[in-house]
Amino acid sequence: MKTSMDRRSFLKGAGVLAVGGLIPLNLIEVAFGKDNPQNFTFGYISDSHLTHIKGTQFVRNWDHGLRRAVAELNMMDPKPDFVVYGGDIAQLGKKEEIDHGLEMLSSIRNKIHYVMGEHDYYLDLGKYWESQLGPQWYSFDHKGVHFVVLNSILTYPDWTYKRWPTAKERMHQMARLDNPQGSPFMVGDAQRAWMQQDLAKVSKDIPIVVLSHSPLYKIYKGWNFWTDDAEQVQALLRPFNKVTVIHGHVHQVLYNQIGNISFYAVMSTAWPWPYANTYTQAKSLVPKLTVPMNRADPFHERDATGWTHFDLANGHVDTHYQLWSNTDRTVAFNTRDGKPEDTVYQPEDQRIPPQTQY
């Protein structure tokens, strides 16, 4: 396949960003478009959690992460075709937080496709977000690749509409990590019906990239690292030859393979979350495939953040995690084994055990 940019040139350009350890930014290279087989890249920023204090005051550290991501993205050479924001611009869904984030993101010199996060949604059920950014789920095509953008953080109507005395209380409940009052996320019947109709128009040999906020498989229900109808969504994707799901929400290195679907998490510009299997009070389903990253403190402000680029050659993903205060990681799709594997740490004798956090 003739490409517009060879791998060495791409990595050379991307490597410039790593100098000085800059920002949590994700760059994806797509090299498998059927109708227009040429490489293209898109940037990925996620989980900024901008937090309003009062007046014009916001938590500076979270602001700093997003500002650095935007500045770094604008310096990229080659320039990406477009940008994805992976959800959770806001921390508590406030108009001030969303406006503040959109103002910073407005200086990006590319088209931005937005994904809904739960922190953007549960104050007003996404009304202000939609008024500024459009539908909560949609699809688009780019150079022979079909992209599907989902709102994967919906939940049961009873929990959404009847459980809480105020919208603010509902938002606070869903914003907590370890919350027995929470409710699992889902895509929902209406959205799955739309997705089925959308995919019915797409040839099975067209590569599919799904962008969601929560992982479209089940990790740990207590932290909402979980999508209740994940298997039903996966069933809609099963007929396609090559499918990749890219998600945010978990703030960590995470990868999985289920059937024909490869799953990759991206990093946060705000803070890291611990892995659910470090929480000894309950069983979790962190993918056996994932080798967790080693870190001393899951709440260290930069110790598990970083930027990543995805190299999608022939429809398979190589993921390059550039991590602050930690060792860079590359998770590459092994075509022989049919799954993503860490290029260094996948063999058990090479692993560095993560610290127990609880």
Side-chain angles (χ1 to χ4, degrees):
M1 180 189 301
K2 184 178 180 181
T3 63
S4 60
M5 175 176 60
D6 64 32
R7 181 178 177 85
R8 178 175 295 181
S9 298
F10 170 72
L11 293 177
K12 181 179 179 182
V16 172
L17 305 181
V19 176
L22 293 174
I23 43 76
L25 183 66
N26 305 278
L27 179 64
I28 297 101
E29 179 180 3
V30 181
F32 55 98
K34 176 178 178 290
D35 296 331
N36 192 356
Q38 59 180 314
N39 290 13
F40 68 91
T41 65
F42 64 95
Y44 205 117
I45 303 171
S46 192
D47 291 88
S48 299
H49 293 274
L50 304 180
T51 304
H52 182 237
I53 301 171
K54 63 179 179 179
T56 59
Q57 292 184 332
F58 292 82
V59 173
R60 290 196 303 171
N61 190 37
W62 312 154
D63 281 12
H64 179 66
L66 181 55
R67 284 199 179 99
R68 294 288 294 273
V70 169
E72 194 68 16
L73 181 62
N74 282 334
M75 290 190 294
M76 281 187 170
D77 184 18
K79 183 180 178 181
D81 282 21
F82 59 86
V83 176
V84 173
Y85 189 88
D88 286 350
I89 296 175
Q91 171 63 11
L92 294 175
K94 296 165 68 174
K95 178 180 181 293
E96 294 89 343
E97 294 169 347
I98 293 173
D99 284 347
H100 189 52
L102 293 182
E103 182 181 5
M104 283 189 269
L105 290 164
S106 69
S107 63
I108 290 178
R109 305 186 193 111
N110 305 81
K111 179 176 176 57
I112 306 176
H113 296 281
Y114 288 89
V115 180
M116 174 76 77
E118 81 276 15
H119 290 262
D120 306 317
Y121 180 76
Y122 277 98
L123 183 65
D124 66 354
L125 305 182
K127 291 180 181 178
Y128 187 69
W129 192 96
E130 279 192 299
S131 74
Q132 302 301 301
L133 300 172
Q136 297 179 20
W137 57 83
Y138 56 96
S139 64
F140 64 96
D141 296 288
H142 189 77
K143 294 183 178 177
V145 179
H146 188 67
F147 289 82
V148 179
V149 181
L150 297 178
N151 178 353
S152 63
I153 54 76
L154 302 172
T155 197
Y156 299 103
D158 179 73
W159 194 98
T160 302
Y161 297 103
K162 300 179 181 179
R163 187 72 58 89
W164 311 108
T166 66
K168 186 176 180 180
E169 177 63 18
R170 176 179 60 206
M171 180 70 258
H172 278 280
Q173 292 291 340
M174 196 58 91
R176 295 171 58 188
L177 177 65
D178 188 17
N179 181 14
Q181 301 296 321
S183 185
F185 296 144
M186 63 185 64
V187 171
D189 294 341
Q191 195 173 180
R192 291 199 315 274
W194 165 85
M195 185 178 175
Q196 184 174 23
Q197 292 178 354
D198 179 76
L199 292 175
K201 308 172 213 174
V202 181
S203 172
K204 299 302 184 288
D205 59 354
I206 292 288
I208 305 293
V209 176
V210 179
L211 306 172
S212 65
H213 184 67
S214 62
L216 296 181
Y217 61 97
K218 295 172 178 177
I219 301 172
Y220 179 46
K221 199 169 187 176
W223 290 357
N224 271 356
F225 288 11
W226 186 283
T227 303
D228 227 32
D229 54 356
E231 292 87 353
Q232 292 165 276
V233 177
Q234 293 168 23
L236 297 176
L237 298 168
R238 198 167 295 134
F240 293 87
N241 295 335
K242 293 172 183 177
V243 182
T244 300
V245 174
I246 301 171
H247 66 89
H249 185 58
V250 298
H251 299 208
Q252 59 196 213
V253 173
L254 196 69
Y255 51 97
N256 198 11
Q257 182 76 27
I258 300 176
N260 63 317
I261 309 172
S262 301
F263 301 84
Y264 297 89
V266 299
M267 311 307 290
S268 165
T269 66
W271 66 80
W273 281 129
Y275 288 93
N277 58 3
T278 66
Y279 187 70
T280 58
Q281 297 183 36
K283 181 181 179 180
S284 67
L285 297 172
V286 172
K288 292 181 179 179
L289 190 62
T290 295
V291 177
M293 67 185 298
N294 180 288
R295 61 179 181 265
D297 181 359
F299 298 104
H300 186 287
E301 65 186 29
R302 288 290 173 251
D303 187 21
T305 58
W307 66 275
T308 308
H309 69 267
F310 292 73
D311 176 358
L312 283 76
N314 300 316
H316 298 300
V317 174
D318 291 352
T319 308
H320 308 280
Y321 291 97
Q322 309 294 321
L323 298 167
W324 293 353
S325 304
N326 217 302
T327 304
D328 291 347
R329 298 272 295 274
T330 294
V331 179
F333 189 89
N334 186 322
T335 55
R336 181 190 60 200
D337 296 341
K339 59 187 178 182
E341 293 180 351
D342 191 290
T343 57
V344 174
Y345 299 113
Q346 206 70 40
E348 291 190 15
D349 60 354
Q350 297 293 317
R351 299 182 186 184
I352 302 173
Q355 288 83 359
T356 299
Q357 310 298 347
Y358 292 91

Coordinates of all heavy atoms in Angstrom, one line a residue, residues 1-7 10 29-32 36-41 81 143 311-312:
M1 N 0.8 -1.2 0.0 CA 0.0 0.0 0.0 C 0.9 1.3 0.0 O 1.8 1.4 0.8 CB -0.9 0.0 1.3 CG -1.8 1.2 1.3 SD -2.6 1.3 3.0 CE -3.5 -0.2 3.0
K2 N 0.6 2.2 -0.9 CA 1.3 3.4 -0.9 C 0.7 4.3 0.2 O -0.4 4.5 0.3 CB 1.2 4.1 -2.3 CG 2.0 5.3 -2.4 CD 1.9 5.9 -3.8 CE 2.7 7.2 -3.9 NZ 2.6 7.7 -5.3
T3 N 1.6 4.9 1.0 CA 1.1 5.8 2.1 C 1.7 7.2 1.9 O 2.7 7.4 1.2 CB 1.6 5.2 3.4 OG1 3.0 5.2 3.5 CG2 1.1 3.8 3.6
S4 N 1.0 8.1 2.6 CA 1.4 9.5 2.5 C 2.5 9.8 3.4 O 3.1 10.9 3.4 CB 0.2 10.4 2.7 OG -0.3 10.2 4.0
M5 N 2.9 8.9 4.4 CA 3.9 9.2 5.4 C 4.4 7.9 5.9 O 3.6 7.0 6.3 CB 3.2 10.0 6.5 CG 4.2 10.2 7.7 SD 3.4 11.2 9.0 CE 2.0 10.2 9.4
D6 N 5.7 7.6 5.8 CA 6.2 6.4 6.3 C 6.3 6.4 7.8 O 6.3 7.4 8.5 CB 7.5 6.0 5.6 CG 8.7 7.0 5.9 OD1 8.7 7.5 7.0 OD2 9.5 7.2 5.1
R7 N 6.5 5.2 8.4 CA 6.5 5.0 9.8 C 7.6 5.8 10.5 O 7.4 6.4 11.5 CB 6.6 3.5 10.2 CG 6.6 3.2 11.7 CD 6.6 1.7 11.9 NE 6.7 1.4 13.3 CZ 5.6 1.3 14.0 NH1 4.4 1.5 13.5 NH2 5.7 1.0 15.3
F10 N 6.8 9.4 10.6 CA 5.7 9.6 11.6 C 6.3 9.7 13.0 O 6.0 10.5 13.8 CB 4.6 8.6 11.4 CG 3.6 8.6 12.6 CD1 2.7 9.6 12.6 CD2 3.6 7.6 13.5 CE1 1.8 9.7 13.7 CE2 2.7 7.7 14.6 CZ 1.8 8.7 14.6
E29 N -2.8 7.1 14.1 CA -2.5 7.0 12.7 C -3.3 5.9 12.1 O -3.2 4.7 12.5 CB -1.0 6.7 12.4 CG -0.7 6.6 10.9 CD 0.8 6.4 10.7 OE1 1.5 6.3 11.6 OE2 1.1 6.3 9.5
V30 N -4.1 6.2 11.1 CA -4.9 5.2 10.4 C -4.4 5.0 9.1 O -4.1 5.9 8.3 CB -6.4 5.7 10.3 CG1 -7.3 4.7 9.6 CG2 -6.9 6.1 11.7
A31 N -4.1 3.7 8.8 CA -3.4 3.4 7.5 C -4.2 2.3 6.7 O -3.6 1.4 6.1 CB -2.0 2.9 7.8
F32 N -5.5 2.2 6.9 CA -6.2 1.1 6.3 C -7.5 1.5 5.6 O -8.4 0.7 5.5 CB -6.5 0.0 7.4 CG -7.2 0.5 8.6 CD1 -8.6 0.4 8.7 CD2 -6.5 1.2 9.6 CE1 -9.2 0.8 9.8 CE2 -7.2 1.6 10.7 CZ -8.5 1.5 10.8
N36 N -10.0 5.0 0.0 CA -9.0 6.0 -0.1 C -7.8 5.6 0.7 O -7.6 6.1 1.8 CB -9.5 7.4 0.3 CG -8.6 8.5 -0.1 OD1 -7.5 8.3 -0.7 ND2 -8.9 9.7 0.2
P37 N -7.0 4.6 0.2 CA -6.0 4.0 1.1 C -4.8 4.8 1.3 O -3.7 4.6 0.6 CB -5.7 2.7 0.3 CG -5.9 3.0 -1.1 CD -7.1 4.0 -1.1
Q38 N -4.9 5.8 2.2 CA -3.7 6.6 2.5 C -3.7 6.8 4.0 O -4.8 6.8 4.6 CB -3.7 7.9 1.8 CG -5.0 8.8 2.0 CD -4.9 10.1 1.3 OE1 -3.9 10.7 1.2 NE2 -6.0 10.4 0.6
N39 N -2.6 7.0 4.6 CA -2.5 7.2 6.0 C -3.1 8.5 6.4 O -3.1 9.5 5.7 CB -1.0 7.2 6.5 CG -0.3 5.9 6.4 OD1 -0.9 5.0 5.8 ND2 0.8 5.8 7.0
F40 N -3.7 8.5 7.6 CA -4.1 9.8 8.2 C -4.0 9.7 9.7 O -4.0 8.6 10.2 CB -5.5 10.3 7.7 CG -6.7 9.5 8.2 CD1 -7.3 9.8 9.4 CD2 -7.1 8.4 7.4 CE1 -8.4 9.1 9.8 CE2 -8.2 7.7 7.9 CZ -8.9 8.0 9.1
T41 N -3.9 10.8 10.3 CA -3.8 10.8 11.8 C -5.0 11.6 12.4 O -5.5 12.5 11.7 CB -2.5 11.4 12.3 OG1 -2.5 12.8 11.9 CG2 -1.3 10.7 11.7
D81 N -5.6 15.1 10.8 CA -6.8 15.5 10.0 C -7.9 16.1 10.8 O -8.6 17.0 10.4 CB -7.3 14.3 9.2 CG -6.5 13.9 8.0 OD1 -5.3 14.3 8.0 OD2 -7.0 13.2 7.1
K143 N -11.9 9.1 4.8 CA -10.9 8.4 4.0 C -11.1 6.9 4.1 O -10.1 6.1 4.3 CB -9.5 8.8 4.4 CG -9.2 10.3 4.1 CD -7.8 10.7 4.4 CE -7.5 12.1 4.1 NZ -6.1 12.6 4.5
D311 N -1.1 3.7 15.9 CA -0.7 3.4 14.6 C -1.5 2.3 14.1 O -1.4 1.1 14.5 CB 0.8 3.1 14.5 CG 1.3 2.7 13.2 OD1 0.5 2.7 12.2 OD2 2.5 2.4 13.1
L312 N -2.5 2.6 13.2 CA -3.4 1.5 12.7 C -3.0 1.1 11.3 O -3.3 1.8 10.3 CB -4.8 2.0 12.7 CG -5.5 2.1 14.1 CD1 -5.1 3.2 14.9 CD2 -7.0 2.2 13.9

